[in-house]
PDB file of all heavy atoms in Angstrom:
ATOM      1  N   GLN A  85     -10.287   1.124  -5.300  1.00 96.00           N
ATOM      2  CA  GLN A  85      -9.319   0.982  -6.373  1.00 96.00           C
ATOM      3  C   GLN A  85      -8.567   2.299  -6.535  1.00 96.00           C
ATOM      4  O   GLN A  85      -9.178   3.358  -6.634  1.00 96.00           O
ATOM      5  CB  GLN A  85     -10.018   0.618  -7.681  1.00 96.00           C
ATOM      6  CG  GLN A  85     -10.630  -0.771  -7.703  1.00 96.00           C
ATOM      7  CD  GLN A  85      -9.601  -1.873  -7.910  1.00 96.00           C
ATOM      8  OE1 GLN A  85      -8.465  -1.611  -8.293  1.00 96.00           O
ATOM      9  NE2 GLN A  85     -10.009  -3.099  -7.666  1.00 96.00           N
ATOM     10  N   THR A  86      -7.255   2.248  -6.568  1.00 96.00           N
ATOM     11  CA  THR A  86      -6.470   3.446  -6.821  1.00 96.00           C
ATOM     12  C   THR A  86      -6.406   3.686  -8.321  1.00 96.00           C
ATOM     13  O   THR A  86      -6.958   2.927  -9.115  1.00 96.00           O
ATOM     14  CB  THR A  86      -5.048   3.294  -6.262  1.00 96.00           C
ATOM     15  OG1 THR A  86      -4.341   2.295  -7.017  1.00 96.00           O
ATOM     16  CG2 THR A  86      -5.079   2.889  -4.789  1.00 96.00           C
ATOM     17  N   GLU A  87      -5.720   4.752  -8.719  1.00 92.00           N
ATOM     18  CA  GLU A  87      -5.641   5.080 -10.136  1.00 92.00           C
ATOM     19  C   GLU A  87      -4.648   4.194 -10.893  1.00 92.00           C
ATOM     20  O   GLU A  87      -4.501   4.339 -12.110  1.00 92.00           O
ATOM     21  CB  GLU A  87      -5.330   6.557 -10.312  1.00 92.00           C
ATOM     22  CG  GLU A  87      -6.477   7.440  -9.860  1.00 92.00           C
ATOM     23  CD  GLU A  87      -6.278   8.889 -10.200  1.00 92.00           C
ATOM     24  OE1 GLU A  87      -5.610   9.193 -11.188  1.00 92.00           O
ATOM     25  OE2 GLU A  87      -6.781   9.730  -9.448  1.00 92.00           O
ATOM     26  N   ILE A  88      -3.960   3.320 -10.198  1.00 97.00           N
ATOM     27  CA  ILE A  88      -3.218   2.255 -10.863  1.00 97.00           C
ATOM     28  C   ILE A  88      -4.039   0.985 -10.679  1.00 97.00           C
ATOM     29  O   ILE A  88      -4.144   0.467  -9.570  1.00 97.00           O
ATOM     30  CB  ILE A  88      -1.796   2.074 -10.299  1.00 97.00           C
ATOM     31  CG1 ILE A  88      -0.979   3.352 -10.491  1.00 97.00           C
ATOM     32  CG2 ILE A  88      -1.097   0.906 -10.988  1.00 97.00           C
ATOM     33  CD1 ILE A  88       0.477   3.235 -10.045  1.00 97.00           C
ATOM     34  N   PRO A  89      -4.661   0.485 -11.727  1.00 96.00           N
ATOM     35  CA  PRO A  89      -5.547  -0.673 -11.597  1.00 96.00           C
ATOM     36  C   PRO A  89      -4.862  -1.852 -10.921  1.00 96.00           C
ATOM     37  O   PRO A  89      -3.713  -2.181 -11.228  1.00 96.00           O
ATOM     38  CB  PRO A  89      -5.906  -1.000 -13.059  1.00 96.00           C
ATOM     39  CG  PRO A  89      -5.771   0.303 -13.768  1.00 96.00           C
ATOM     40  CD  PRO A  89      -4.603   0.989 -13.111  1.00 96.00           C
ATOM     41  N   GLY A  90      -5.580  -2.449  -9.979  1.00 97.00           N
ATOM     42  CA  GLY A  90      -5.062  -3.607  -9.263  1.00 97.00           C
ATOM     43  C   GLY A  90      -4.492  -3.286  -7.907  1.00 97.00           C
ATOM     44  O   GLY A  90      -4.420  -4.156  -7.038  1.00 97.00           O
ATOM     45  N   VAL A  91      -4.057  -2.056  -7.694  1.00 98.00           N
ATOM     46  CA  VAL A  91      -3.567  -1.621  -6.384  1.00 98.00           C
ATOM     47  C   VAL A  91      -4.774  -1.108  -5.603  1.00 98.00           C
ATOM     48  O   VAL A  91      -5.427  -0.149  -6.033  1.00 98.00           O
ATOM     49  CB  VAL A  91      -2.491  -0.534  -6.513  1.00 98.00           C
ATOM     50  CG1 VAL A  91      -1.980  -0.123  -5.134  1.00 98.00           C
ATOM     51  CG2 VAL A  91      -1.339  -1.023  -7.381  1.00 98.00           C
ATOM     52  N   VAL A  92      -5.067  -1.733  -4.465  1.00 97.00           N
ATOM     53  CA  VAL A  92      -6.337  -1.498  -3.772  1.00 97.00           C
ATOM     54  C   VAL A  92      -6.105  -1.123  -2.314  1.00 97.00           C
ATOM     55  O   VAL A  92      -5.306  -1.766  -1.614  1.00 97.00           O
ATOM     56  CB  VAL A  92      -7.232  -2.758  -3.837  1.00 97.00           C
ATOM     57  CG1 VAL A  92      -8.575  -2.505  -3.165  1.00 97.00           C
ATOM     58  CG2 VAL A  92      -7.448  -3.190  -5.289  1.00 97.00           C
ATOM     59  N   VAL A  93      -6.791  -0.085  -1.867  1.00 98.00           N
ATOM     60  CA  VAL A  93      -6.792   0.302  -0.449  1.00 98.00           C
ATOM     61  C   VAL A  93      -7.990  -0.362   0.215  1.00 98.00           C
ATOM     62  O   VAL A  93      -9.111  -0.317  -0.302  1.00 98.00           O
ATOM     63  CB  VAL A  93      -6.885   1.828  -0.299  1.00 98.00           C
ATOM     64  CG1 VAL A  93      -6.969   2.216   1.186  1.00 98.00           C
ATOM     65  CG2 VAL A  93      -5.695   2.508  -0.950  1.00 98.00           C
ATOM     66  N   ILE A  94      -7.750  -0.986   1.356  1.00 96.00           N
ATOM     67  CA  ILE A  94      -8.797  -1.730   2.065  1.00 96.00           C
ATOM     68  C   ILE A  94      -8.941  -1.143   3.461  1.00 96.00           C
ATOM     69  O   ILE A  94      -7.956  -0.989   4.183  1.00 96.00           O
ATOM     70  CB  ILE A  94      -8.427  -3.225   2.146  1.00 96.00           C
ATOM     71  CG1 ILE A  94      -8.261  -3.789   0.734  1.00 96.00           C
ATOM     72  CG2 ILE A  94      -9.485  -4.007   2.922  1.00 96.00           C
ATOM     73  CD1 ILE A  94      -7.465  -5.054   0.676  1.00 96.00           C
ATOM     74  N   GLU A  95     -10.176  -0.812   3.824  1.00 96.00           N
ATOM     75  CA  GLU A  95     -10.456  -0.265   5.146  1.00 96.00           C
ATOM     76  C   GLU A  95     -11.522  -1.111   5.831  1.00 96.00           C
ATOM     77  O   GLU A  95     -12.614  -1.293   5.284  1.00 96.00           O
ATOM     78  CB  GLU A  95     -10.926   1.182   5.027  1.00 96.00           C
ATOM     79  CG  GLU A  95      -9.857   2.100   4.472  1.00 96.00           C
ATOM     80  CD  GLU A  95     -10.379   3.505   4.219  1.00 96.00           C
ATOM     81  OE1 GLU A  95     -11.131   3.676   3.251  1.00 96.00           O
ATOM     82  OE2 GLU A  95     -10.033   4.403   4.998  1.00 96.00           O
ATOM     83  N   PRO A  96     -11.220  -1.626   7.013  1.00 93.00           N
ATOM     84  CA  PRO A  96     -12.207  -2.447   7.716  1.00 93.00           C
ATOM     85  C   PRO A  96     -13.236  -1.592   8.434  1.00 93.00           C
ATOM     86  O   PRO A  96     -12.995  -0.426   8.740  1.00 93.00           O
ATOM     87  CB  PRO A  96     -11.350  -3.210   8.739  1.00 93.00           C
ATOM     88  CG  PRO A  96     -10.250  -2.242   9.064  1.00 93.00           C
ATOM     89  CD  PRO A  96      -9.957  -1.516   7.769  1.00 93.00           C
ATOM     90  N   GLN A  97     -14.386  -2.186   8.683  1.00 92.00           N
ATOM     91  CA  GLN A  97     -15.378  -1.545   9.539  1.00 92.00           C
ATOM     92  C   GLN A  97     -14.958  -1.793  10.985  1.00 92.00           C
ATOM     93  O   GLN A  97     -14.791  -2.941  11.407  1.00 92.00           O
ATOM     94  CB  GLN A  97     -16.764  -2.115   9.282  1.00 92.00           C
ATOM     95  CG  GLN A  97     -17.863  -1.437  10.087  1.00 92.00           C
ATOM     96  CD  GLN A  97     -19.241  -1.984   9.763  1.00 92.00           C
ATOM     97  OE1 GLN A  97     -19.362  -3.029   9.145  1.00 92.00           O
ATOM     98  NE2 GLN A  97     -20.275  -1.282  10.192  1.00 92.00           N
ATOM     99  N   VAL A  98     -14.772  -0.708  11.731  1.00 93.00           N
ATOM    100  CA  VAL A  98     -14.284  -0.796  13.108  1.00 93.00           C
ATOM    101  C   VAL A  98     -15.439  -0.547  14.072  1.00 93.00           C
ATOM    102  O   VAL A  98     -16.159   0.445  13.955  1.00 93.00           O
ATOM    103  CB  VAL A  98     -13.157   0.220  13.355  1.00 93.00           C
ATOM    104  CG1 VAL A  98     -12.654   0.127  14.793  1.00 93.00           C
ATOM    105  CG2 VAL A  98     -12.006  -0.003  12.368  1.00 93.00           C
ATOM    106  N   PHE A  99     -15.621  -1.444  15.031  1.00 94.00           N
ATOM    107  CA  PHE A  99     -16.644  -1.313  16.054  1.00 94.00           C
ATOM    108  C   PHE A  99     -15.965  -0.939  17.359  1.00 94.00           C
ATOM    109  O   PHE A  99     -15.161  -1.719  17.894  1.00 94.00           O
ATOM    110  CB  PHE A  99     -17.422  -2.619  16.209  1.00 94.00           C
ATOM    111  CG  PHE A  99     -18.118  -3.060  14.940  1.00 94.00           C
ATOM    112  CD1 PHE A  99     -17.490  -3.916  14.053  1.00 94.00           C
ATOM    113  CD2 PHE A  99     -19.390  -2.604  14.646  1.00 94.00           C
ATOM    114  CE1 PHE A  99     -18.128  -4.329  12.885  1.00 94.00           C
ATOM    115  CE2 PHE A  99     -20.041  -2.997  13.480  1.00 94.00           C
ATOM    116  CZ  PHE A  99     -19.399  -3.852  12.595  1.00 94.00           C
ATOM    117  N   GLY A 100     -16.256   0.249  17.873  1.00 93.00           N
ATOM    118  CA  GLY A 100     -15.604   0.719  19.081  1.00 93.00           C
ATOM    119  C   GLY A 100     -16.577   1.119  20.162  1.00 93.00           C
ATOM    120  O   GLY A 100     -17.706   1.531  19.881  1.00 93.00           O
ATOM    121  N   ASP A 101     -16.147   0.983  21.403  1.00 93.00           N
ATOM    122  CA  ASP A 101     -16.904   1.479  22.544  1.00 93.00           C
ATOM    123  C   ASP A 101     -15.914   1.781  23.654  1.00 93.00           C
ATOM    124  O   ASP A 101     -14.703   1.849  23.405  1.00 93.00           O
ATOM    125  CB  ASP A 101     -17.989   0.490  22.974  1.00 93.00           C
ATOM    126  CG  ASP A 101     -17.440  -0.898  23.312  1.00 93.00           C
ATOM    127  OD1 ASP A 101     -16.254  -0.997  23.727  1.00 93.00           O
ATOM    128  OD2 ASP A 101     -18.190  -1.889  23.171  1.00 93.00           O
ATOM    129  N   ASP A 102     -16.419   1.967  24.892  1.00 95.00           N
ATOM    130  CA  ASP A 102     -15.518   2.364  25.970  1.00 95.00           C
ATOM    131  C   ASP A 102     -14.554   1.259  26.385  1.00 95.00           C
ATOM    132  O   ASP A 102     -13.628   1.488  27.154  1.00 95.00           O
ATOM    133  CB  ASP A 102     -16.313   2.864  27.181  1.00 95.00           C
ATOM    134  CG  ASP A 102     -17.325   1.850  27.700  1.00 95.00           C
ATOM    135  OD1 ASP A 102     -17.382   0.726  27.154  1.00 95.00           O
ATOM    136  OD2 ASP A 102     -18.059   2.188  28.646  1.00 95.00           O
ATOM    137  N   ARG A 103     -14.742   0.049  25.874  1.00 95.00           N
ATOM    138  CA  ARG A 103     -13.801  -1.038  26.161  1.00 95.00           C
ATOM    139  C   ARG A 103     -12.617  -1.050  25.210  1.00 95.00           C
ATOM    140  O   ARG A 103     -11.557  -1.570  25.521  1.00 95.00           O
ATOM    141  CB  ARG A 103     -14.511  -2.394  26.067  1.00 95.00           C
ATOM    142  CG  ARG A 103     -15.667  -2.585  27.017  1.00 95.00           C
ATOM    143  CD  ARG A 103     -16.436  -3.840  26.637  1.00 95.00           C
ATOM    144  NE  ARG A 103     -16.978  -3.734  25.281  1.00 95.00           N
ATOM    145  CZ  ARG A 103     -17.509  -4.755  24.597  1.00 95.00           C
ATOM    146  NH1 ARG A 103     -17.557  -5.964  25.156  1.00 95.00           N
ATOM    147  NH2 ARG A 103     -17.997  -4.572  23.387  1.00 95.00           N
ATOM    148  N   GLY A 104     -12.816  -0.482  24.010  1.00 94.00           N
ATOM    149  CA  GLY A 104     -11.790  -0.532  22.975  1.00 94.00           C
ATOM    150  C   GLY A 104     -12.447  -0.681  21.617  1.00 94.00           C
ATOM    151  O   GLY A 104     -13.421   0.009  21.317  1.00 94.00           O
ATOM    152  N   TYR A 105     -11.960  -1.603  20.814  1.00 91.00           N
ATOM    153  CA  TYR A 105     -12.551  -1.795  19.489  1.00 91.00           C
ATOM    154  C   TYR A 105     -12.394  -3.237  19.041  1.00 91.00           C
ATOM    155  O   TYR A 105     -11.628  -4.022  19.609  1.00 91.00           O
ATOM    156  CB  TYR A 105     -11.918  -0.859  18.453  1.00 91.00           C
ATOM    157  CG  TYR A 105     -10.463  -1.139  18.151  1.00 91.00           C
ATOM    158  CD1 TYR A 105     -10.071  -2.174  17.286  1.00 91.00           C
ATOM    159  CD2 TYR A 105      -9.450  -0.368  18.716  1.00 91.00           C
ATOM    160  CE1 TYR A 105      -8.741  -2.440  17.014  1.00 91.00           C
ATOM    161  CE2 TYR A 105      -8.118  -0.629  18.448  1.00 91.00           C
ATOM    162  CZ  TYR A 105      -7.768  -1.653  17.588  1.00 91.00           C
ATOM    163  OH  TYR A 105      -6.450  -1.921  17.326  1.00 91.00           O
ATOM    164  N   PHE A 106     -13.141  -3.568  17.968  1.00 95.00           N
ATOM    165  CA  PHE A 106     -13.035  -4.878  17.312  1.00 95.00           C
ATOM    166  C   PHE A 106     -13.228  -4.673  15.816  1.00 95.00           C
ATOM    167  O   PHE A 106     -14.056  -3.861  15.386  1.00 95.00           O
ATOM    168  CB  PHE A 106     -14.100  -5.856  17.812  1.00 95.00           C
ATOM    169  CG  PHE A 106     -14.178  -7.124  17.000  1.00 95.00           C
ATOM    170  CD1 PHE A 106     -13.334  -8.192  17.251  1.00 95.00           C
ATOM    171  CD2 PHE A 106     -15.079  -7.222  15.941  1.00 95.00           C
ATOM    172  CE1 PHE A 106     -13.384  -9.339  16.475  1.00 95.00           C
ATOM    173  CE2 PHE A 106     -15.140  -8.380  15.160  1.00 95.00           C
ATOM    174  CZ  PHE A 106     -14.291  -9.433  15.428  1.00 95.00           C
ATOM    175  N   PHE A 107     -12.449  -5.410  15.007  1.00 93.00           N
ATOM    176  CA  PHE A 107     -12.706  -5.438  13.574  1.00 93.00           C
ATOM    177  C   PHE A 107     -12.113  -6.711  12.984  1.00 93.00           C
ATOM    178  O   PHE A 107     -11.181  -7.300  13.552  1.00 93.00           O
ATOM    179  CB  PHE A 107     -12.139  -4.200  12.858  1.00 93.00           C
ATOM    180  CG  PHE A 107     -10.631  -4.108  12.836  1.00 93.00           C
ATOM    181  CD1 PHE A 107      -9.896  -4.601  11.764  1.00 93.00           C
ATOM    182  CD2 PHE A 107      -9.942  -3.481  13.871  1.00 93.00           C
ATOM    183  CE1 PHE A 107      -8.517  -4.499  11.729  1.00 93.00           C
ATOM    184  CE2 PHE A 107      -8.561  -3.370  13.849  1.00 93.00           C
ATOM    185  CZ  PHE A 107      -7.845  -3.883  12.771  1.00 93.00           C
ATOM    186  N   GLU A 108     -12.676  -7.128  11.860  1.00 92.00           N
ATOM    187  CA  GLU A 108     -12.083  -8.212  11.084  1.00 92.00           C
ATOM    188  C   GLU A 108     -11.003  -7.602  10.206  1.00 92.00           C
ATOM    189  O   GLU A 108     -11.260  -6.659   9.461  1.00 92.00           O
ATOM    190  CB  GLU A 108     -13.134  -8.900  10.211  1.00 92.00           C
ATOM    191  CG  GLU A 108     -14.111  -9.752  10.979  1.00 92.00           C
ATOM    192  CD  GLU A 108     -15.009 -10.584  10.058  1.00 92.00           C
ATOM    193  OE1 GLU A 108     -14.616 -10.799   8.882  1.00 92.00           O
ATOM    194  OE2 GLU A 108     -16.073 -11.012  10.513  1.00 92.00           O
ATOM    195  N   SER A 109      -9.800  -8.151  10.269  1.00 94.00           N
ATOM    196  CA  SER A 109      -8.712  -7.600   9.473  1.00 94.00           C
ATOM    197  C   SER A 109      -8.600  -8.245   8.096  1.00 94.00           C
ATOM    198  O   SER A 109      -7.967  -7.674   7.196  1.00 94.00           O
ATOM    199  CB  SER A 109      -7.376  -7.757  10.220  1.00 94.00           C
ATOM    200  OG  SER A 109      -7.094  -9.123  10.471  1.00 94.00           O
ATOM    201  N   TYR A 110      -9.240  -9.401   7.914  1.00 95.00           N
ATOM    202  CA  TYR A 110      -9.163 -10.065   6.613  1.00 95.00           C
ATOM    203  C   TYR A 110     -10.321 -11.038   6.472  1.00 95.00           C
ATOM    204  O   TYR A 110     -10.658 -11.759   7.409  1.00 95.00           O
ATOM    205  CB  TYR A 110      -7.840 -10.822   6.466  1.00 95.00           C
ATOM    206  CG  TYR A 110      -7.726 -11.609   5.169  1.00 95.00           C
ATOM    207  CD1 TYR A 110      -7.563 -10.955   3.949  1.00 95.00           C
ATOM    208  CD2 TYR A 110      -7.795 -12.998   5.169  1.00 95.00           C
ATOM    209  CE1 TYR A 110      -7.465 -11.669   2.766  1.00 95.00           C
ATOM    210  CE2 TYR A 110      -7.703 -13.717   3.983  1.00 95.00           C
ATOM    211  CZ  TYR A 110      -7.542 -13.042   2.787  1.00 95.00           C
ATOM    212  OH  TYR A 110      -7.458 -13.746   1.610  1.00 95.00           O
ATOM    213  N   SER A 111     -10.919 -11.026   5.282  1.00 94.00           N
ATOM    214  CA  SER A 111     -11.947 -12.004   4.924  1.00 94.00           C
ATOM    215  C   SER A 111     -11.623 -12.502   3.523  1.00 94.00           C
ATOM    216  O   SER A 111     -11.700 -11.727   2.562  1.00 94.00           O
ATOM    217  CB  SER A 111     -13.347 -11.381   4.946  1.00 94.00           C
ATOM    218  OG  SER A 111     -14.276 -12.212   4.272  1.00 94.00           O
ATOM    219  N   GLN A 112     -11.256 -13.755   3.409  1.00 95.00           N
ATOM    220  CA  GLN A 112     -10.908 -14.290   2.096  1.00 95.00           C
ATOM    221  C   GLN A 112     -12.080 -14.158   1.125  1.00 95.00           C
ATOM    222  O   GLN A 112     -11.891 -13.810  -0.047  1.00 95.00           O
ATOM    223  CB  GLN A 112     -10.485 -15.755   2.205  1.00 95.00           C
ATOM    224  CG  GLN A 112     -10.081 -16.359   0.861  1.00 95.00           C
ATOM    225  CD  GLN A 112      -9.611 -17.793   0.993  1.00 95.00           C
ATOM    226  OE1 GLN A 112      -9.433 -18.309   2.090  1.00 95.00           O
ATOM    227  NE2 GLN A 112      -9.411 -18.449  -0.142  1.00 95.00           N
ATOM    228  N   GLN A 113     -13.292 -14.419   1.604  1.00 94.00           N
ATOM    229  CA  GLN A 113     -14.465 -14.352   0.745  1.00 94.00           C
ATOM    230  C   GLN A 113     -14.644 -12.954   0.152  1.00 94.00           C
ATOM    231  O   GLN A 113     -14.806 -12.785  -1.064  1.00 94.00           O
ATOM    232  CB  GLN A 113     -15.715 -14.766   1.523  1.00 94.00           C
ATOM    233  CG  GLN A 113     -16.992 -14.764   0.688  1.00 94.00           C
ATOM    234  CD  GLN A 113     -18.218 -15.109   1.528  1.00 94.00           C
ATOM    235  OE1 GLN A 113     -18.383 -14.596   2.637  1.00 94.00           O
ATOM    236  NE2 GLN A 113     -19.061 -15.981   1.007  1.00 94.00           N
TER     237      GLN A 113
END
Side-chain angles (χ1 to χ4, degrees):
Q85 292 283 346
T86 68
E87 292 188 29
I88 299 184
V91 181
V92 182
V93 177
I94 301 160
E95 296 174 287
Q97 183 177 14
V98 180
F99 300 92
D101 57 28
D102 56 3
R103 300 169 299 169
Y105 67 80
F106 170 84
F107 67 94
E108 288 189 21
S109 60
Y110 176 71
S111 165
Q112 181 178 352
Q113 182 183 45

